[in-house]
Amino acid sequence: MIKDLWYKNAVVYCLNVGTFMDSNGDGIGDFEGLMRRLDYLSGLGVNCLWLMPFQKSPQRDDGYDISDYYQVDPRYGTLGDFVDFTHEAKQRGIRVMMDLVINHTSDQHPWFQAARRDKSSRYRDYYLWADKKPKDAQSGMVFPGVQKTTWTRDPIAGKYYFHRFYKFQPDLNTQNPEVQEEIRKIMGFYLELGVCGFRMDAMPFVIQTKGTTAAHTERYTMLREFREFLQWRVGDAIILAEANVEPDLNMHYFGDDGDRLQMMFNFWVNQRVFYALASGNSRPLAKALEQTRNRPATAQWANFLRNHDELDLGRLSDEERQIVFEEMGPDKTMQLYDRGIRRRLAPMLDGDRRRLELAYSLLFTLPGTPVIRYGDELGMGDNLRLRERNCARTPMQWSTEPHAGFTRADKPILPVITGGPYGYEQVNAAQQRRDPDSLLNWTERIIRMRHEVPEIGWGDYSVVETGHDHVFAMRYDWRNNSVLVVHNLGAAQTEIEMHLGDKLGRTLINLLGDEHSHADNKGRHHIVLESYGYRWYRVGGLGYLLDRTSY
Ligand code: NOJ
Ligand code: CA
């Protein structure tokens, strides 16, 4: 029964163990601290956590540089603590997904250490080497402006090695069957420890052929091999891919028969959501949804607003990108890698509560599964004095105690935001929990409603014409139930007129407030949306189909 596809309607919360909660006062968040905050997460209504990398690492790219796949970074605890944590999460009905970073290792990984020292080492071919600096070494850099090349000379090997990302992250030769075997072994290990799946880092690069020229091909069959392995071990485990690709490639990732990846982040839609929020024009968003509509029935999109990286706007037109920059990140200091904005969501929206609710309401009603980021439920801000993406990775703000109650230490791993409108004195979980009107409590309520509207994860959607570019309406239909969501992206109050076409559509029950809508005698609804207003309606009369919330 398809009901078993838990990921179709989960609410995912992503966090970094190191900046969430410190239990032992060393300034670094840990599994013990995270465990103590599981009740908070459960209260918020999230039912899947995505943990950023927590394995042993020199931490030069926030853990995306792993030096031992089979150890928890000692700063976060032990494997024992990790298993305690997955168990405790399970007790609360929360699944745990983890980052799987296997495109590259840290240069401190014993595989690389052995490979660079000895050309006859069995690990030599785990990486990619060249005698001379390849002429394409200046192309394909992921961090332009910071990264200088993709081939760096290793003095010990006396050769150049390939690195798609920073130079301390040598790429694994993922076409090597022995490397693929290692990847499966790592997956199998963590599945045994209780994870529900993996967020696979840098997926397009993992499956590419890698060599001394920039030309490459994608080996999509690898995706099916990963998938099969996963499901032989744990039937309902999933892979959620980080793959910021053009829409015509999506089905290669999902597989025509749904035999490859279960989930992908919808980067294409994400960029048009920000364009819509910045410009007030929803047409490109509607188009992007259409372009990414196609997916196998068992697959699902993961939607998000901000994540731990910069907001990558690289797939917008120059003109569209410029509009988002002007509206949401006008200063050079707010921009990164010539393509994105590195701020947190709240400051990008001027801390305007109406716009934050609008953005989140939109996220929660996009076709797919919503992924939210720690601290966004409080409206946390950023610290642009911190380098690159660290500005949006500051510790969770729990209370008004020193360092926001994140740690007892004098010096946290990254400084907590203090002073000003986003400082922990103003923005913290303890105060917001007690205030019924807080963003935290709003988020909890919208998550609860999202759980009550499974049509969004399961149903077919259509965009409903509202007569205004800045008012975006979508209808979901699933098993004789329908839901209509409407978002006013503009600052102006707007009256819309809509015809839903069927008898059922004569009554709209407001799921978030008291004003329901009844069609006039021509079957049209007249709805007045306030500035940045949003509505979630169940289509149909009061008491209709009692198995769904319609009161
Ligand atoms: C994508 C991750 O999201 C990013 O944070 C990281 O720097 C790169 N992959 C390299 O692992
Ligand atoms: Ca600690």
Side-chain angles (χ1 to χ4, degrees):
M1 166 75 170
I2 46 175
K3 230 178 172 169
D4 289 341
L5 307 185
W6 61 269
Y7 53 90
K8 293 284 269 191
N9 254 322
V11 175
V12 184
Y13 184 99
C14 77
L15 66 91
N16 185 336
V17 178
T19 50
F20 203 61
M21 181 66 204
D22 173 24
S23 71
N24 61 354
D26 65 355
I28 304 171
D30 41 54
F31 276 107
E32 176 70 36
L34 173 55
M35 219 151 21
R36 292 185 198 169
R37 289 294 181 260
L38 275 170
D39 291 323
Y40 166 86
L41 295 168
S42 154
L44 190 56
V46 303
N47 52 15
C48 180
L49 297 178
W50 153 28
L51 301 186
M52 333 242 83
F54 54 80
Q55 291 137 301
K56 196 160 180 241
S57 160
Q59 302 288 339
R60 296 183 67 192
D61 181 17
D62 226 0
Y64 285 93
D65 50 329
I66 294 173
S67 56
D68 186 348
Y69 288 101
Y70 299 105
Q71 290 297 326
V72 165
D73 193 294
R75 308 174 330 152
Y76 303 153
T78 63
L79 275 178
D81 296 326
F82 175 70
V83 171
D84 259 2
F85 155 73
T86 55
H87 171 77
E88 287 289 320
K90 198 164 162 199
Q91 295 303 306
R92 290 164 178 81
I94 299 177
R95 289 184 161 87
V96 178
M97 173 160 37
M98 64 182 276
D99 242 295
L100 184 65
V101 190
I102 42 75
N103 177 66
H104 45 267
T105 65
S106 158
D107 58 2
Q108 301 307 306
H109 195 290
W111 296 340
F112 188 72
Q113 291 298 328
R116 75 196 316 190
R117 290 205 159 81
D118 178 1
K119 66 174 184 300
S120 56
S121 157
R122 62 172 285 227
Y123 298 111
R124 186 75 159 197
D125 288 340
Y126 275 36
Y127 298 89
L128 297 120
W129 304 97
D131 293 332
K132 291 204 304 276
K133 187 163 189 160
K135 61 175 182 348
D136 286 347
Q138 263 20 63
S139 71
M141 281 172 283
V142 176
F143 304 124
V146 181
Q147 191 181 350
K148 302 276 178 281
T149 175
T150 54
W151 286 89
T152 293
R153 186 169 185 281
D154 177 42
I156 297 175
K159 284 178 186 287
Y160 290 81
Y161 64 92
F162 178 64
H163 54 92
R164 174 66 70 182
F165 298 92
Y166 299 109
K167 70 174 181 202
F168 51 81
Q169 290 165 318
D171 265 51
L172 280 166
N173 177 8
T174 44
Q175 300 305 320
N176 177 342
E178 283 174 45
V179 171
Q180 293 177 5
E181 191 52 44
E182 299 278 10
I183 295 172
R184 286 193 286 270
K185 201 188 274 188
I186 297 162
M187 284 184 171
F189 180 77
Y190 283 98
L191 287 171
E192 289 298 315
L193 298 190
V195 304
C196 68
F198 303 95
R199 177 261 189 199
M200 273 184 85
D201 190 58
M203 193 53 121
F205 301 132
V206 172
I207 61 172
Q208 266 171 24
T209 54
K210 309 181 193 193
T212 49
T213 66
H216 57 256
T217 46
E218 270 79 23
R219 299 275 319 280
Y220 293 109
T221 49
M222 282 172 76
L223 300 174
R224 183 181 166 140
E225 289 157 20
F226 289 144
R227 159 77 176 262
E228 283 183 341
F229 173 79
L230 201 73
Q231 296 209 318
W232 286 331
R233 292 286 171 99
V234 174
D236 64 354
I238 63 153
I239 295 176
L240 163 56
E242 184 210 18
N244 180 356
V245 294
E246 298 272 339
D248 58 340
L249 297 180
N250 292 335
M251 287 305 286
H252 291 303
Y253 283 86
F254 285 136
D256 287 330
D257 303 325
D259 56 349
R260 293 178 184 167
L261 305 179
Q262 291 91 343
M263 292 189 88
M264 281 172 81
F265 283 109
N266 200 334
F267 282 93
W268 193 256
V269 161
N270 170 267
Q271 305 190 22
R272 275 92 193 156
V273 166
F274 277 92
Y275 177 74
L277 293 170
S279 69
N281 180 2
S282 67
R283 301 281 173 202
L285 172 60
K287 186 172 170 207
L289 288 168
E290 196 52 50
Q291 289 169 305
T292 56
R293 180 188 286 277
N294 198 16
R295 55 156 176 77
T298 52
Q300 185 62 302
W301 287 111
N303 293 307
F304 61 104
L305 290 171
R306 289 288 290 110
N307 62 18
H308 61 299
D309 291 328
E310 81 288 0
L311 167 68
D312 186 339
L313 301 169
R315 297 196 188 277
L316 294 180
S317 70
D318 291 349
E319 197 187 322
E320 289 169 334
R321 187 182 318 108
Q322 212 39 50
I323 289 173
V324 185
F325 274 148
E326 272 159 31
E327 282 296 313
M328 296 180 165
D331 292 355
K332 276 277 170 241
T333 56
M334 300 167 174
Q335 301 171 9
L336 195 60
Y337 311 137
D338 307 326
R339 62 170 179 241
I341 299 179
R342 63 188 192 119
R343 307 172 82 189
R344 272 240 190 204
L345 184 69
M348 288 172 73
L349 298 174
D350 294 326
D352 184 334
R353 174 68 182 267
R354 296 167 309 168
R355 297 180 71 196
L356 282 166
E357 287 187 19
L358 176 82
Y360 264 103
S361 169
L362 188 58
L363 169 70
F364 279 110
T365 55
L366 287 174
T369 294
V371 180
I372 62 176
R373 172 154 165 74
Y374 82 93
D376 279 358
E377 73 273 30
L378 309 174
M380 267 173 59
D382 48 50
N383 175 356
L384 294 176
R385 283 187 301 273
L386 300 177
R387 75 176 175 84
E388 289 179 70
R389 297 156 293 166
N390 278 356
C391 59
R393 298 176 175 182
T394 59
M396 178 69 174
Q397 294 172 197
W398 291 109
S399 70
T400 53
E401 287 169 71
H403 302 296
F406 159 71
T407 181
R408 300 191 303 274
D410 293 336
K411 205 171 171 317
I413 172 171
L414 277 177
V416 173
I417 295 180
T418 165
Y422 301 103
Y424 71 89
E425 304 86 345
Q426 304 292 325
V427 176
N428 63 73
Q431 282 178 345
Q432 292 200 20
R433 184 190 279 128
R434 295 186 177 86
D435 172 3
D437 297 323
S438 67
L439 185 63
L440 174 63
N441 281 315
W442 179 88
T443 308
E444 184 186 319
R445 289 193 296 273
I446 209 80
I447 291 177
R448 184 200 312 139
M449 194 48 77
R450 177 63 181 76
H451 286 309
E452 292 191 37
V453 187
E455 288 85 349
I456 298 172
W458 285 114
D460 294 323
Y461 71 89
S462 45
V463 173
V464 180
E465 185 53 52
T466 66
H468 299 270
D469 286 354
H470 65 277
V471 183
F472 185 57
M474 273 196 295
R475 175 181 173 153
Y476 287 91
D477 294 287
W478 183 59
R479 295 188 174 168
N480 294 326
N481 286 282
S482 300
V483 174
L484 177 77
V485 292
V486 190
H487 291 90
N488 179 8
L489 300 160
Q493 172 178 307
T494 306
E495 177 169 350
I496 58 163
E497 201 183 286
M498 267 184 313
H499 198 290
L500 293 178
D502 49 345
K503 197 153 163 266
L504 195 61
R506 297 185 81 85
T507 309
L508 297 175
I509 302 299
N510 190 333
L511 293 176
L512 305 172
D514 295 331
E515 302 154 36
H516 309 306
S517 174
H518 303 281
D520 63 16
N521 53 17
K522 295 210 174 71
R524 288 172 312 212
H525 287 272
H526 301 269
I527 299 172
V528 180
L529 288 155
E530 63 284 2
S531 164
Y532 305 117
Y534 56 92
R535 300 282 186 279
W536 295 21
Y537 294 112
R538 189 163 289 286
V539 182
L542 202 61
Y544 173 78
L545 287 177
L546 287 174
D547 61 327
R548 295 274 163 256
T549 320
S550 54
Y551 41 80

